Amino acid sequence: MICSFIGSRRRRHRTRTSRPVGIMLAIGLLAPFQALPAQDRQSEDLAALSVIAKRFEQISPRPARISATQESGNGYWEKLDLNVAKYGVMRRFLPTERSVHPALIAYWIDRTERDDREWDMVSDSGQPKWPARWQFASRSAEVVSSVAALNPWSGPLKVASEALAEEAKKALHATYGVDSAEERKAMLRALDLKGKRQAVEAALGKFLAAAGDLDPERNAGWKPVYQFLLKDAEEQWNGFRKDRDEKKRVDSSLSMTYWGADRSAFKVTTAQVEKLIAIKWRLSSMEVKLLEDALAPGRMPMAFLEGAAREFIDTRIEFDRELVRALDLPEVKTNPVLVSGLIGLFDVWKTLQRREEFLKAGRWALSIGVLKEVALTVLKAESWTKTDFDPDTGERTDSVVVQRAGQTVDQLDKCKERWLNRRSPKGSLHAAVEVDEKGNRVWTPYNWTVWKWMTADELDDLTTDGRVVKGLGRRWLVAAGSRFESIRSMQDLRAADAREIFVGLTAAGARKGLRRDLK
Amino acid sequence: MRVLLALLCMSSIGVFSAAQAQDRAALAEREAMTLQKITRDPRHPHLLSLGDGAPFPQNRDQFDAAFAACRRALKAAPGSTAVRVNLGALYLWRDALHPDESGNFEKAVDQLLIVLAKDPANEAALAYLRSHEVLTRIRPHLGEKGTASVRSALQRALKDSPRAPNLRAFAWTLFFDGKLAEARAAAKTLVERAPEPSSHLLLAAVELKAGDSEKALAGFQTVLKATQDPLEMATASLGSAQAFNALADTDAADRLLGEAARLLPPPALEHAAQVARLITPAELGWSIGKAYAAAGNAGKASGYLGAEGMKWLSAEAAFARNQEAVSLFRANKMVESLNAFFASAQLDPRPVVWGNAAFTAFQMGRYQECVLASRRGRALEPLGPGGDSRLAIAYAVLGDYKTASATFERAAQDAPGDKALNEWTVALTYAIGGWDEAVATWSRLGNARRPRWDQWYEVFIQVRGALGYIAELAERRGARYQSLRHESILYRALGEGLKRRFLKPDGLELIRRERQETLNKIIDNYRRLPLKPALPSEVQELLLKARPLVESAFKGHDSFRKTLALYEEVVERAPWFPEGHYMLALMASQDPGPYTDGESHPDSRRELNAYLALVPEGPEAARALKVLEAAPRPLPFFGPDIENDK
């Protein structure tokens, strides 16, 4: 399974050259002699990298390690990526969903909160005519009312949606449009965003229950609503994508301007920097697709690594190699100004660490790194948005998504570290995931990035605590202090609020990947 | 256990913060010893002096040893609640020493909930769960679902063990979850079951948060009577101060905040406020300072707010005054609006407020104030074409044509496409220098070359429009001296229209009538002036030239015409000058002509009428009336009705 992690080009190359060696290894003849050159090369590369890292450390100190949940950083770019990815995921999710999924309700509520006003027509003077109406709220109500069976629900839904949209606009104004902190607090305190949200949720629940089976092929009543939602998601996705691409493009062109300000005379390095910027742009272009795929409904991390992540990892390896080459150029070695230029453009420490990990442990380390980056994007984007409110002060607070995604990042780091240190990850990474009333794993738009991940040691601890129980042919994680010792029925499952435990990331693939990389 | 709980309670409400400030080294040593004790015996019940919500970094090794010992002990005996409580507590503070780890808080809460499930009355676990460090982290770390699960675990424990500590922990959790109605009910029950100061304190804090300041005040006062504990006293004083402030008793709030500050050092008092979910002393001080500032007690206000705070407050007050002024303006309460704008600008001189003041003053015809506000605003940032025009027109209405013209010209440079600015410049050049200068300015300002008659027509229209406008503004304001001046120039400008023959006959007739109407206004204004204006210097010069010529005026046709022309010029420039009209009337009565068709010629009867209208009781009035009666009536008269006026 893991063999497909390896980039196709490299795989083809290795297939041609390494087959005889593989055969000889299999019969145990040439193993000591054939393994040596590859290991020597790896050692040489590592030694060279170590020299570069030491030289670089004199200019830029190695960053301290802290948990992702304690990391404070800008999440603006990640937010742009996640905005696009979320709608991309929704475009995939909607055609597959046949029942009322929390993500569907969350989507509807989120769109209502971010609704815009639209004007029916423009007056002669070119000024919009009042009163304006809420775009999503009124259009969705129109669609709902066009279906005879759903018509009675359109009115309440519209009223609740408009109230929520108004409240959300006020909250937005209070957050960004008011200078005085006291005034902002007072305004936010006066708002009832949560109540309005609950009202929409209630109206939506009734309407969706009335809609019946949410299969557009079989349910003619649902079809227009489904088509409307799909079109809306498509429009939102397109809008966010264009916005994000435009900003990234500007960022990329600014990079070269930054370099060219006073370093363009160094031609060799400049050529290398241009190459690096181009690779970085390629990586940036892949990021949203990568994120979409990682968060796609039902997508497991291993399947993600085998699919969309492959090309990305290849490109990343290329980027790291080229950046290390740039650091090793004679003119860069002797000129700190060029090094500082590279620091301004690229995250050099990350590259050095990744390169080291790659040389030590092969693609598997990078695969874990990609998973980590997906979780980190969710973490940073959500920290940037601060979607939760403190009900008392009205201040926005960190979302629990931030904590969960941060823990995922830390667990992946731990997993990678153990692999790097011992070349043998002790056990696999387990995940505990909520299940629905039918016992199916509940998918959220953050997918595996917000699962509760556990190492084998942690699972042992939980077992000691009596929180790991068996039943219905699976293992379950029950709440702390739960009195359930086993899950015998679906009723037990609901009462215990249990989460299913399963292996989310295996170690077997890692071993296989390393063997291939070292050949 | 009692000692432990006392320590726990104190830790959770900040006593250790104060103590640590005094002797951190001793505290660190005590902490190290506790950790060593736990390492030796993981069931040891004395962990809780980890002040400041975190252990000291130098104790990291001891911390790790204690942690490992607890884990080992728990593996061996999973049912030991004492070890589990210690492990939970260590997890709570583990983030501080292991910043590369995550999920410690969740693990801590899990351990404490497991303890409660086994021992619902475990006071240590309950105390931890109701500590500030835990309550403030539950929601962001565990989300809505985690918060609900902690709440329901506490509820279950309360059901199994309906004792005061359980009720207290449950009430605090509800309070921090924002479920005020349930928290109030739980706190009331707690007060009934355990009427201790801490119970009253909780209930009062809930009442205050729920907005019932009077009940809260009563609760805090009960605490103050019942306790001698400095922490509880300080918290209750702070709560009372907040309640008094909400009840608009600023002096009482001030006094009680002072009491609280005397009882605890600032960091400890701030922590105490956070623990009881009161607003912090700094926020309360700010609020009290604002109340004092609003009441005009600047001394007290600045004591709380400081120089920066007062400045900020000024800005805030200025904003409020500006908003108020805008509302007054919309309600057409102009005087109040202007006063409010000026007050706002005095508090925080921002260009936008000066601009508002200038605009309002202009609308009200208070041009002096408009100039003042515009200049203040311009000192901060450019006014822009609109603001410059307003300022220039205000200057013009006040009669300062030169500054007005310069202002327009500068504005035109900033907004080259704005044709109106150039037109104003041309009109004001006429007021300053006369016809030829106005025409030259018109050409200089980049107007395309045109036939002379067209040029003249353009200049005439611009001068007539601009001067008519400012004369009207001055008249509307009742500024008679300025009005007289503008109308005099307008009168002369209209004369240019009659004289230069670029108008069609019907246009000529219209201008003639307009000129006469202007003269009527001039006469009216002049007569109403208490002090008559002095003659402008250029008119005095003309008179000096004309008077010697009068004697010889009738000796020859040329000298007559020269003298006549001089007096005509005098009347053109000072149409309100009675003697000018009288002399012109005398000269005109002797005028032999001839005049070509269409050429204007002096009319003695009209001039006499003007003289009599200006000064009905003048020294020459009797003689003028005689001449008037004797003279024929060839021309219609548009002047004021002298008979009625008398």
Side-chain angles (χ1 to χ4, degrees):
Chain A
M1 192 153 105
I2 295 297
C3 61
S4 52
F5 286 175
I6 295 158
S8 54
R9 204 175 31 173
R10 294 181 63 156
R11 189 166 61 227
R12 279 199 298 276
H13 173 70
R14 285 191 187 113
T15 312
R16 280 198 301 275
T17 55
S18 65
R19 189 173 292 149
V21 177
I23 294 165
M24 283 186 270
L25 272 171
I27 56 173
L29 288 174
L30 287 174
F33 308 100
Q34 288 296 326
L36 271 176
Q39 282 174 354
D40 284 351
R41 202 170 53 247
Q42 186 199 16
S43 305
E44 280 169 23
D45 287 349
L46 269 170
L49 187 71
S50 168
V51 172
I52 294 168
K54 272 184 188 158
R55 202 167 51 229
F56 184 66
E57 201 164 5
Q58 288 168 356
I59 297 168
S60 166
R62 191 183 286 265
R65 283 196 53 188
I66 53 164
S67 157
T69 53
Q70 299 196 22
E71 201 174 66
S72 59
N74 191 323
Y76 172 74
W77 292 107
E78 286 79 9
K79 182 67 205 160
L80 289 183
D81 288 349
L82 193 64
N83 272 343
V84 187
K86 267 185 171 177
Y87 287 102
V89 167
M90 207 61 204
R91 285 161 60 240
R92 290 195 207 181
F93 167 76
L94 280 169
T96 62
E97 194 49 30
R98 295 288 178 269
S99 59
V100 181
H101 191 285
L104 180 64
I105 294 177
Y107 176 82
W108 199 302
I109 290 173
D110 182 56
R111 274 293 286 120
T112 310
E113 279 186 42
R114 293 188 308 95
D115 207 355
D116 288 320
R117 288 183 191 278
E118 70 173 359
W119 286 270
D120 283 340
M121 53 185 294
V122 171
S123 70
D124 299 338
S125 63
Q127 293 298 312
K129 274 193 173 177
W130 292 88
R133 58 181 195 163
W134 293 103
Q135 209 171 56
F136 182 80
S138 57
R139 283 187 196 173
S140 56
E142 274 168 24
V143 173
V144 173
S145 69
S146 70
V147 182
L150 303 177
N151 189 26
W153 308 110
S154 74
L157 186 62
K158 191 180 178 204
V159 170
S161 301
E162 285 177 347
L164 175 61
E166 286 282 356
E167 203 80 337
K169 270 284 181 284
K170 284 182 202 163
L172 198 69
H173 170 72
T175 309
Y176 299 107
V178 178
D179 286 340
S180 147
E182 288 197 3
E183 194 182 349
R184 179 164 55 246
K185 274 187 188 173
M187 283 175 81
L188 287 171
R189 242 179 252 138
L191 296 177
D192 181 22
L193 203 57
K194 212 169 161 184
K196 302 279 190 297
R197 208 177 280 153
Q198 282 166 338
V200 174
E201 206 170 349
L204 208 51
K206 285 175 190 165
F207 143 67
L208 289 173
D213 186 11
L214 304 187
D215 185 344
E217 299 306 319
R218 294 192 312 181
N219 183 350
W222 174 247
K223 196 172 182 177
V225 185
Y226 160 79
Q227 282 170 339
F228 162 75
L229 286 175
L230 200 61
K231 189 167 169 270
D232 184 70
E234 184 82 25
E235 282 171 4
Q236 293 293 313
W237 179 70
N238 258 321
F240 278 117
R241 195 163 52 94
K242 277 181 193 160
D243 178 50
R244 182 250 180 211
D245 287 352
E246 185 56 37
K247 283 171 180 156
K248 286 270 182 182
R249 199 170 293 121
V250 171
D251 182 51
S252 185
S253 54
L254 281 176
S255 299
M256 208 52 236
T257 313
Y258 163 77
W259 179 267
D262 57 354
R263 301 177 191 89
S264 53
F266 300 92
K267 292 211 162 48
V268 180
T269 316
T270 301
Q272 188 69 1
V273 164
E274 279 171 3
K275 195 174 180 182
L276 281 163
I277 289 174
I279 304 173
K280 196 179 165 192
W281 170 248
R282 255 162 52 214
L283 283 167
S284 167
S285 315
M286 287 181 219
E287 273 163 5
V288 169
K289 204 177 155 210
L290 195 76
L291 206 54
E292 265 181 41
D293 197 82
L295 304 178
R299 173 76 75 245
M300 297 292 280
M302 296 291 274
F304 159 68
L305 288 175
E306 286 175 356
R310 278 167 45 188
E311 192 190 348
F312 186 82
I313 293 170
D314 284 341
T315 315
R316 170 141 291 164
I317 291 169
E318 186 190 350
F319 176 83
D320 292 345
R321 188 180 59 232
E322 295 303 327
L323 184 51
V324 171
R325 262 184 206 158
L327 289 168
D328 210 23
L329 287 172
E331 58 186 16
V332 176
K333 278 185 197 172
T334 54
N335 194 340
V337 174
L338 296 180
V339 180
S340 65
L342 290 172
I343 293 173
L345 288 176
F346 313 110
D347 194 335
V348 179
W349 267 121
K350 268 191 188 162
T351 287
L352 289 172
Q353 279 163 1
R354 264 199 313 260
R355 189 71 188 158
E356 187 187 348
E357 287 163 9
F358 174 70
L359 290 173
K360 277 184 181 170
R363 291 174 63 86
W364 177 246
L366 265 69
S367 300
I368 300 240
V370 169
L371 291 181
K372 179 186 148 181
E373 275 178 42
V374 169
L376 209 55
T377 304
V378 170
L379 165 87
K380 286 190 170 182
E382 287 299 306
S383 315
W384 177 262
T385 324
K386 285 193 187 288
T387 43
D388 282 5
F389 272 88
D390 181 330
D392 178 42
T393 61
E395 293 284 353
R396 283 173 185 266
T397 60
D398 282 338
S399 153
V400 69
V401 170
V402 172
Q403 287 294 324
R404 279 268 172 260
Q407 286 169 28
T408 302
V409 172
D410 286 347
Q411 291 288 18
L412 289 166
D413 265 343
K414 263 191 219 171
C415 178
K416 189 173 67 181
E417 207 169 280
R418 210 174 292 121
W419 169 240
L420 286 166
N421 292 339
R422 302 182 192 170
R423 294 288 169 85
S424 166
K426 190 183 166 191
S428 306
L429 270 188
H430 297 264
V433 183
E434 278 181 54
V435 293
D436 63 17
E437 290 181 345
K438 292 174 187 167
N440 300 320
R441 287 173 198 159
V442 176
W443 171 83
T444 72
Y446 303 104
N447 201 7
W448 50 264
T449 64
V450 291
W451 287 351
K452 182 179 171 62
W453 289 92
M454 295 161 287
T455 59
D457 286 344
E458 283 166 333
L459 193 64
D460 282 352
D461 285 348
L462 290 168
T463 310
T464 308
D465 292 347
R467 293 184 59 193
V468 179
V469 299
K470 289 183 179 169
L472 305 174
R474 293 183 247 178
R475 276 192 298 176
W476 304 96
L477 180 70
V478 294
S482 170
R483 288 160 192 182
F484 284 89
E485 291 178 354
S486 67
I487 300 291
R488 290 176 195 156
S489 62
M490 296 310 288
Q491 283 91 333
D492 279 358
L493 195 62
R494 279 196 292 277
D497 193 19
R499 282 182 276 186
E500 187 194 348
I501 299 174
F502 57 91
V503 177
L505 210 56
T506 63
R511 293 197 194 92
K512 214 168 171 183
L514 180 67
R515 275 204 300 276
R516 285 184 169 274
D517 287 325
L518 288 178
K519 279 176 194 170
Chain B
M1 186 57 97
R2 273 187 188 283
V3 176
L4 161 72
L5 283 176
L7 285 167
L8 250 172
C9 300
M10 289 161 84
S11 167
S12 70
I13 49 181
V15 162
F16 283 116
S17 299
Q20 280 170 356
Q22 290 162 7
D23 191 356
R24 294 185 65 81
L27 200 70
E29 197 176 327
R30 200 187 319 160
E31 182 183 291
M33 282 172 65
T34 310
L35 290 168
Q36 281 164 15
K37 281 179 192 170
I38 290 169
T39 311
R40 283 197 295 273
D41 176 11
R43 289 169 303 170
H44 194 278
H46 227 302
L47 171 64
L48 303 153
S49 57
L50 297 179
D52 263 356
F56 290 91
Q58 63 265 37
N59 294 338
R60 180 178 160 146
D61 290 345
Q62 284 99 322
F63 183 94
D64 287 349
F67 187 82
C70 283
R71 284 193 67 182
R72 273 196 308 274
L74 209 56
K75 286 249 177 199
S80 168
T81 50
V83 179
R84 204 177 277 284
V85 167
N86 278 344
L87 183 65
L90 288 167
Y91 264 128
L92 265 187
W93 286 290
R94 197 171 161 79
D95 279 352
L97 295 180
H98 294 276
D100 56 331
E101 286 180 3
S102 60
N104 288 318
F105 180 76
E106 189 177 357
K107 287 173 185 166
V109 171
D110 283 351
Q111 296 304 323
L112 298 170
L113 293 186
I114 292 170
V115 170
L116 269 194
K118 288 180 179 163
D119 176 10
N122 189 299
E123 293 191 16
L126 289 168
Y128 273 125
L129 285 170
R130 70 169 176 80
S131 71
H132 183 249
E133 287 82 0
V134 171
L135 290 171
T136 49
R137 285 163 78 189
I138 289 179
R139 186 177 290 276
H141 282 251
L142 308 181
E144 191 69 45
K145 203 166 179 182
T147 311
S149 85
V150 172
R151 205 166 49 230
S152 64
L154 285 166
Q155 198 165 17
R156 268 199 310 274
L158 178 64
K159 206 174 161 191
D160 295 341
S161 165
R163 296 165 57 244
N166 291 68
L167 194 54
R168 194 183 306 281
F170 185 51
W172 274 105
T173 310
L174 290 169
F175 185 28
F176 268 72
D177 280 356
K179 299 192 176 306
L180 295 179
E182 292 101 314
R184 183 191 267 150
K188 275 184 179 169
T189 316
L190 179 67
V191 166
E192 284 164 16
R193 283 191 201 169
E196 301 158 10
S198 61
S199 308
H200 284 288
L201 200 57
L202 170 61
L203 179 59
V206 174
E207 296 287 10
L208 191 61
K209 190 60 83 181
D212 196 334
S213 303
E214 285 177 1
K215 279 189 184 167
L217 187 59
F220 287 127
Q221 297 296 321
T222 310
V223 176
L224 283 172
K225 280 177 200 158
T227 188
Q228 290 299 315
D229 176 60
L231 179 64
E232 284 178 343
M233 284 173 75
T235 311
S237 299
L238 198 61
S240 300
Q242 193 180 327
F244 273 126
N245 192 46
L247 294 167
D249 188 344
T250 312
D251 285 333
D254 176 35
R255 182 170 48 77
L256 280 154
L257 179 58
E259 286 289 323
R262 266 190 293 281
L263 286 162
L264 284 184
L269 187 60
E270 182 158 342
H271 188 67
Q274 285 167 358
V275 168
R277 300 193 76 202
L278 303 173
I279 61 172
T280 61
E283 282 177 316
L284 183 58
W286 179 263
S287 180
I288 293 172
K290 275 179 73 174
Y292 273 128
N297 189 340
K300 281 273 190 185
S302 63
Y304 277 110
L305 304 172
E308 273 301 306
M310 289 297 275
K311 198 173 154 191
W312 187 88
L313 198 65
S314 293
E316 198 187 41
F319 177 76
R321 291 291 276 163
N322 185 59
Q323 293 300 97
E324 182 195 335
V326 170
S327 304
L328 289 166
F329 184 89
R330 285 182 183 150
N332 209 25
K333 294 181 178 172
M334 304 298 272
V335 177
E336 294 89 338
S337 170
L338 183 62
N339 288 342
F341 277 131
F342 271 113
S344 173
Q346 293 297 331
L347 285 164
D348 186 14
R350 292 187 186 209
V352 67
V353 182
W354 284 122
N356 286 343
F359 179 79
T360 310
F362 190 90
Q363 294 293 315
M364 294 170 70
R366 288 161 75 156
Y367 302 105
Q368 198 74 50
E369 282 151 294
C370 175
V371 166
L372 171 82
S374 299
R375 289 183 60 177
R376 291 280 173 90
R378 195 174 61 181
L380 298 169
E381 71 176 30
L383 296 177
D388 275 328
S389 297
R390 189 161 51 238
L391 173 62
I393 293 172
Y395 273 129
V397 175
L398 292 170
D400 187 351
Y401 301 129
K402 279 188 181 167
T403 315
S405 173
T407 308
F408 269 124
E409 204 154 357
R410 195 167 47 234
Q413 283 166 8
D414 293 339
D418 196 337
K419 209 178 153 195
L421 297 174
N422 285 340
E423 291 174 2
W424 272 98
T425 310
V426 169
L428 291 166
T429 311
Y430 176 79
I432 300 161
W435 181 258
D436 292 340
E437 281 85 344
V439 173
T441 303
W442 187 88
S443 306
R444 181 171 59 79
L445 290 174
N447 289 302
R449 287 181 68 82
R450 290 201 198 163
R452 197 172 65 169
W453 304 114
D454 266 11
Q455 279 186 32
W456 283 3
Y457 179 79
E458 286 279 331
V459 172
F460 175 73
I461 290 297
Q462 288 165 17
V463 172
R464 172 175 168 251
L467 284 161
Y469 179 61
I470 57 174
E472 189 188 326
L473 291 182
E475 194 180 340
R476 207 185 295 159
R477 176 76 190 126
R480 294 195 178 280
Y481 287 101
Q482 280 95 350
S483 182
L484 190 70
R485 189 164 177 210
H486 305 320
E487 281 159 356
S488 300
I489 297 169
L490 178 64
Y491 178 80
R492 177 154 57 96
L494 292 170
E496 307 281 0
L498 298 178
K499 200 162 69 182
R500 295 187 188 273
R501 302 189 180 194
F502 49 79
L503 297 170
K504 290 178 181 172
D506 50 346
L508 273 173
E509 188 53 34
L510 182 82
I511 295 300
R512 192 172 286 122
R513 282 172 179 272
E514 197 175 312
R515 194 167 189 247
Q516 188 58 50
E517 282 165 14
T518 307
L519 182 62
N520 294 349
K521 283 182 190 167
I522 290 169
I523 292 166
D524 187 46
N525 261 329
Y526 180 82
R527 283 179 58 175
R528 288 172 195 267
L529 284 176
L531 284 172
K532 307 303 177 196
L535 276 173
S537 55
E538 73 270 15
V539 179
Q540 285 179 13
E541 278 174 26
L542 285 171
L543 285 175
L544 281 173
K545 279 184 197 166
R547 275 187 185 135
L549 292 175
V550 172
E551 298 301 321
S552 56
F554 299 103
K555 288 182 181 168
H557 184 260
D558 285 349
S559 56
F560 179 81
R561 298 229 63 83
K562 205 172 169 184
T563 314
L564 188 67
L566 277 170
Y567 274 104
E568 276 178 336
E569 186 66 15
V570 165
V571 169
E572 285 293 305
R573 286 185 179 271
W576 47 268
F577 179 47
E579 285 75 13
H581 286 284
Y582 183 72
M583 283 304 293
L584 193 57
L586 290 183
M587 298 285 293
S589 64
Q590 305 301 320
D591 185 10
Y595 291 96
T596 54
D597 188 34
E599 190 180 358
S600 69
H601 52 88
D603 175 4
S604 63
R605 194 176 176 80
R606 187 180 60 199
E607 299 304 330
L608 281 171
N609 263 324
Y611 174 79
L612 287 169
L614 283 163
V615 277
E617 308 294 337
E620 308 296 341
R623 198 171 153 201
L625 275 171
K626 266 188 189 170
V627 175
L628 201 60
E629 279 161 13
R633 295 174 176 245
L635 291 171
F637 178 62
F638 299 106
D641 188 343
I642 298 167
E643 302 300 325
N644 289 343
D645 212 38
K646 277 178 181 177

